[in-house]
Amino acid sequence: MQNKICLVTGANSGIGKETALALAEKGATVVMICRDQARGEAARQEIIEQSGNNAVDLLIADMSSQQSIRQVAAKFQQKYDALHVLVNNAGAAFRGRQESVDGVELTFALNHLGYFLLTDLLLETIKASAPARIVNVASDAHKGANFDLDDVQLTKKYALFKAYANSKLANVLFSNELDRRLNATEDSGVTVNSLHPGVVRTNIWGGMIPLLGPIIRFIGRFVMRTPEEGATTSIYLASSPEVDGVSGKYFVDCAEKYPSRLAQDEDAARKLWEVSEGLCL
């Protein structure tokens, strides 16, 4: 990964931090996008110390805010003229229905539109850097999605797990549609893949079930993956020569797997793209 520039969102903790660390250890220039300056800077210093790589940068953005995403994309392009690996990782879940500053249901805004808009804003830079890779962290939770493309914001009936599963289905559909748009007629040199990291002990569980947080953390020590284990497939897709040229696929444990039937629906992917464009201000 020498001379490669990698951008990782949600990089101050969990899977994102472990992904950023591994890429830094491999010699890449790593740019972290984090929401909080203090936590992001602390994570950056830890990664520098553990990797022995000083080429670790920090940019601040709220990935649920379209203005913030546009600003961070512009800052990146001011500082860097190439982007070889984009890892879309930032995500969360919310108990009650909330809206982003743009008036979009917050789970969908952060977990899907954050991926969609940042990738779109940086896509010309990525294409000019080919061979390049886009890695989208999804989840097998997408298999439980009940997707109504006429109500992606769940205005009629909100439920936490439904919102989360739908957003993860959106990650897979977006990955597949982006691959078709990039590579259907000719090889663009840019690969796009999505993945399931496993059930991982991260901060997301506190947002999902805060009252059960201590219990989940205790049980999780025995049945959940560590963030380091959960980051394995993200790191593999971002850096392994084994997946050179592999695109439009879904991976679990560093192996290609089939996502749900709905996740393979090209019409649904195209409609989601149109809906997403309409929600981007």
Side-chain angles (χ1 to χ4, degrees):
M1 297 298 287
Q2 297 287 337
N3 302 315
K4 299 291 186 182
I5 299 173
C6 304
L7 180 62
V8 183
T9 70
N12 68 280
S13 65
I15 295 169
K17 182 181 176 183
E18 294 298 335
T19 302
L21 171 60
L23 294 174
E25 289 176 335
K26 293 176 183 293
T29 295
V30 177
V31 183
M32 307 164 59
I33 292 183
C34 303
R35 186 176 62 176
D36 183 86
Q37 178 76 48
R39 289 197 292 268
E41 182 58 33
R44 187 180 81 91
Q45 290 299 328
E46 287 181 30
I47 290 171
I48 289 172
E49 291 172 8
Q50 292 180 42
S51 67
N53 182 351
N54 289 319
V56 181
D57 196 3
L58 172 66
L59 297 176
I60 303 301
D62 177 352
M63 294 302 296
S64 71
S65 163
Q66 294 180 31
Q67 180 181 13
S68 187
I69 293 169
R70 292 182 188 280
Q71 289 172 342
V72 81
K75 288 179 182 176
F76 177 88
Q77 289 171 322
Q78 288 169 4
K79 297 184 72 172
Y80 300 95
D81 59 5
L83 178 55
H84 302 98
V85 177
L86 170 61
V87 182
N88 287 306
N89 166 80
F94 305 95
R95 284 177 293 158
R97 188 182 186 281
Q98 304 176 49
E99 292 188 350
S100 71
V101 294
D102 304 304
V104 179
E105 190 278 310
L106 191 55
T107 313
F108 192 79
L110 173 60
N111 294 7
H112 167 60
L113 286 184
Y115 287 23
F116 181 86
L117 181 56
L118 182 66
T119 303
D120 180 68
L121 293 169
L122 296 176
L123 192 56
E124 291 307 313
T125 302
I126 295 169
K127 288 162 66 175
S129 308
R133 303 180 182 190
I134 299 169
V135 178
N136 293 322
V137 179
S139 169
D140 264 2
H142 84 271
K143 295 178 179 178
N146 181 14
F147 217 37
D148 180 357
L149 282 164
D150 294 319
D151 186 27
V152 295
Q153 299 195 59
L154 298 179
T155 58
K156 298 174 184 177
K157 189 174 181 181
Y158 179 89
L160 182 154
F161 285 103
K162 181 178 182 180
Y164 183 75
N166 286 0
S167 73
K168 296 292 103 180
L169 173 59
N171 294 157
V172 184
L173 288 169
F174 164 57
S175 299
N176 294 345
E177 179 63 15
L178 180 57
D179 170 63
R180 282 189 286 271
R181 290 174 180 245
L182 287 171
N183 300 312
T185 57
E186 60 183 86
D187 183 3
S188 69
V190 178
T191 61
V192 190
N193 293 293
S194 57
L195 68 106
H196 169 55
V199 181
V200 184
R201 290 199 308 271
T202 67
N203 295 333
I204 196 171
W205 297 104
M208 285 186 171
I209 319 173
L211 295 179
L212 297 180
I215 296 173
I216 290 174
R217 283 193 293 273
F218 176 76
I219 296 174
R221 293 167 57 189
F222 305 99
V223 299
M224 290 181 177
R225 295 182 177 185
T226 65
E228 183 177 6
E229 292 167 337
T232 301
T233 305
S234 296
I235 297 162
Y236 174 77
L237 290 175
S239 62
S240 175
E242 294 180 8
V243 285
D244 282 344
V246 176
S247 190
K249 306 301 182 182
Y250 180 72
F251 284 78
V252 182
D253 292 332
C254 302
E256 183 185 336
K257 302 291 184 181
Y258 284 108
S260 70
R261 181 173 298 179
L262 181 53
Q264 300 174 62
D265 187 325
E266 293 186 16
D267 289 336
R270 281 191 291 269
K271 184 170 182 180
L272 174 66
W273 190 285
E274 293 169 1
V275 169
S276 302
E277 285 183 324
L279 289 171
C280 288
L281 304 176

